[in-house]
């Protein structure tokens, strides 16, 4: 199985490292426009092989899409990262042209690939990739919900003082500081609702911390985070390549699901060898439905800025 990662920055390189270390794919290609950058990252990762025991072949190329031919999955991380004080939405004008060009180039050499979009604003970039390529909706996936849910589970684990891997929790809605919806009502610790352990005030704080999880790290680091985003992409790619059919919150194209149409937004999906194999219908309460509708409206407003690019 072959995976191409376009963009060898912190997120792309971390994704390549996790995929290689875990043996998720037999081959990983890193591609970047900066001369020698992807080659250097790939060589650095390969020099870990003898100490960590992986056998994945990792190579880097400078803007040569022919080397990506035959990729089963292509991950698009390219674009500028957020800077302190910058929202994901402010990135749209810059990153839209990059994502559209990358998607078109990879399909020339891997026409049957599944595309995973990481570039921000992620829901809008996922919609752009879908509309500009004309691919079936199951083959374009935005990874934001996987990352947001991971952060949600982390904050719940800190509040509970329990292992994050014992906690089941999900974030739906747009991948933005004001549009994501941590489903505290449905979160559980080994099958027991977390509301039995945490007060409403504590749960509200966990939800608030989750929603600004990316901005918090940007403020601390001076740039976007990369370890958790890279690992979240690898988690998603693993479910595709190995047909694991995991339930993962992903930004996908909806046609009536959750009362929305013609946008890409985070919803619970079954992810397998065909990409998005099913969108799961979970029963939301009235408050959650209202929040989801508000989130969808915000995502749709950002998509309006794409009209000149898509024409």
């Amino acid at each position: 199985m072959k995976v191409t990662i376009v963009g060898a920055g912190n997120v792309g390189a971390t994704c390549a490292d996790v995929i290689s270390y875990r043996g998720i794919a037999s081959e990983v290609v890193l591609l970047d426009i900066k001369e020698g950058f992807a080659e250097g990252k790939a060589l650095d990762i390969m020099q870990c092989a003898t100490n960590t025991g992986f056998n994945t072949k990792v190579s880097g190329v400078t803007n040569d899409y022919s080397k990506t031919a035959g990729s089963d999955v292509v991950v698009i991380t390219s674009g500028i990262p957020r800077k302190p004080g910058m929202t994901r939405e402010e990135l749209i004008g810059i990153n839209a042209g990059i994502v559209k060009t990358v998607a078109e180039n990879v399909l020339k050499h891997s026409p049957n690939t599944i595309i995973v979009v990481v570039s921000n604003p992620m829901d809008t970039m996922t919609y752009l990739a879908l509309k500009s390529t004309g691919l079936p909706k199951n083959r374009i996936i935005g990874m934001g919900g996987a990352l947001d849910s991971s952060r949600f589970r982390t904050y719940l684990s800190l509040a509970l003082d329990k292992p994050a891997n014992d906690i089941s929790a999900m974030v739906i809605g747009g991948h933005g500081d004001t549009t994501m919806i941590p489903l505290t009502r449905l979160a559980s610790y080994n099958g027991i609702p977390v509301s039995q352990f945490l007060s409403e005030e504590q749960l509200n704080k966990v939800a608030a911390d989750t929603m600004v999880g990316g901005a918090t790290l940007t403020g601390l680091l001076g740039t976007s985070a990369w370890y958790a985003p890279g690992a979240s992409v690898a988690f998603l790619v693993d479910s595709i390549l190995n047909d694991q059919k995991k339930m993962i919150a992903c930004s996908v194209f909806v046609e009536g699901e959750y009362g929305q149409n013609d946008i890409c937004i985070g919803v619970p999906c079954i992810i397998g060898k065909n990409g998005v194999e099913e969108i799961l219908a979970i029963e939301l309460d009235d408050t959650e439905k209202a929040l989801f509708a508000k989130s969808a409206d915000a995502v749709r407003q950002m998509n309006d800025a794409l009209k000149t690019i898509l024409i």
Side-chain angles (χ1 to χ4, degrees):
M1 293 291 187
K2 181 176 180 178
V3 176
T4 286
I5 301 169
V6 183
N10 288 333
V11 174
T14 300
C15 177
D17 186 50
V18 175
I19 289 174
S20 302
Y21 181 77
R22 293 183 55 200
I24 293 171
S26 57
E27 182 179 0
V28 174
V29 176
L30 273 170
L31 183 147
D32 203 276
I33 60 171
K34 184 179 178 181
E35 186 70 36
F37 192 61
E39 291 89 337
K41 291 288 185 78
L43 184 58
D44 195 15
I45 293 171
M46 281 294 287
Q47 289 172 355
C48 298
T50 56
N51 294 320
T52 57
F54 71 79
N55 295 305
T56 301
K57 176 186 176 183
V58 185
S59 60
V61 295
T62 300
N63 219 31
D64 182 1
Y65 283 88
S66 68
K67 302 296 185 183
T68 71
S71 294
D72 297 284
V73 176
V74 172
V75 178
I76 302 177
T77 74
S78 47
I80 67 167
R82 283 204 293 176
K83 295 179 174 62
M86 179 184 284
T87 65
R88 292 180 177 91
E89 290 78 8
E90 289 172 328
L91 298 177
I92 186 170
I94 300 170
N95 287 349
I98 297 172
V99 170
K100 183 174 184 289
T101 300
V102 168
E104 291 170 350
N105 280 332
V106 296
L107 286 173
K108 292 176 184 176
H109 302 280
S110 302
N112 298 315
T113 196
I114 292 170
I115 295 177
V116 175
V117 179
V118 182
S119 306
N120 278 314
M122 191 218 61
D123 300 292
T124 301
M125 294 300 101
T126 304
Y127 182 81
L128 170 65
L130 179 74
K131 291 297 184 178
S132 64
T133 62
L135 287 179
K137 62 181 183 179
N138 63 296
R139 290 172 53 193
I140 302 284
I141 308 171
M143 80 88 192
L147 171 60
D148 297 333
S149 298
S150 178
R151 287 173 172 162
F152 185 26
R153 291 171 66 190
T154 297
Y155 284 117
L156 283 170
S157 76
L158 293 172
L160 290 165
D161 193 24
K162 298 293 189 295
N165 285 326
D166 285 349
I167 297 168
S168 177
M170 181 184 299
V171 175
I172 62 173
H175 180 59
D177 301 344
T178 60
T179 56
M180 66 180 74
I181 306 162
L183 295 175
T184 54
R185 181 179 63 88
L186 300 179
S188 63
Y189 165 61
N190 277 336
I192 304 171
V194 296
S195 57
Q196 293 192 21
F197 305 97
L198 300 175
S199 67
E200 183 177 357
E201 181 181 359
Q202 289 174 305
L203 286 173
N204 288 338
K205 184 179 186 307
V206 166
D209 288 344
T210 299
M211 293 176 72
V212 296
T216 299
L217 287 164
T218 301
L220 292 169
L221 297 168
T223 187
S224 296
W226 59 89
Y227 293 123
S232 296
V233 180
F235 178 74
L236 181 57
V237 171
D238 193 11
S239 193
I240 297 169
L241 292 184
N242 293 299
D243 196 26
Q244 294 174 336
K245 302 191 187 304
K246 290 177 179 174
M247 182 176 71
I248 306 174
C250 297
S251 183
V252 298
F253 189 71
V254 291
E255 296 178 292
E257 294 90 351
Y258 295 90
Q260 300 300 323
N261 283 283
D262 195 34
I263 58 170
C264 292
I265 192 168
V267 290
C269 301
I270 300 299
I271 303 296
K273 65 181 180 181
N274 297 311
V276 181
E277 301 199 346
E278 183 181 357
I279 296 175
L280 296 177
I282 56 175
E283 189 64 36
L284 302 180
D285 64 22
D286 289 342
T287 299
E288 292 158 352
K289 287 177 182 177
L291 288 172
F292 193 86
K294 183 179 179 182
S295 177
D297 286 343
V299 171
R300 193 172 283 107
Q301 287 176 13
M302 282 196 294
N303 289 353
D304 288 342
L306 291 175
K307 290 179 179 178
T308 58
I309 298 171
L310 291 171
I311 292 174

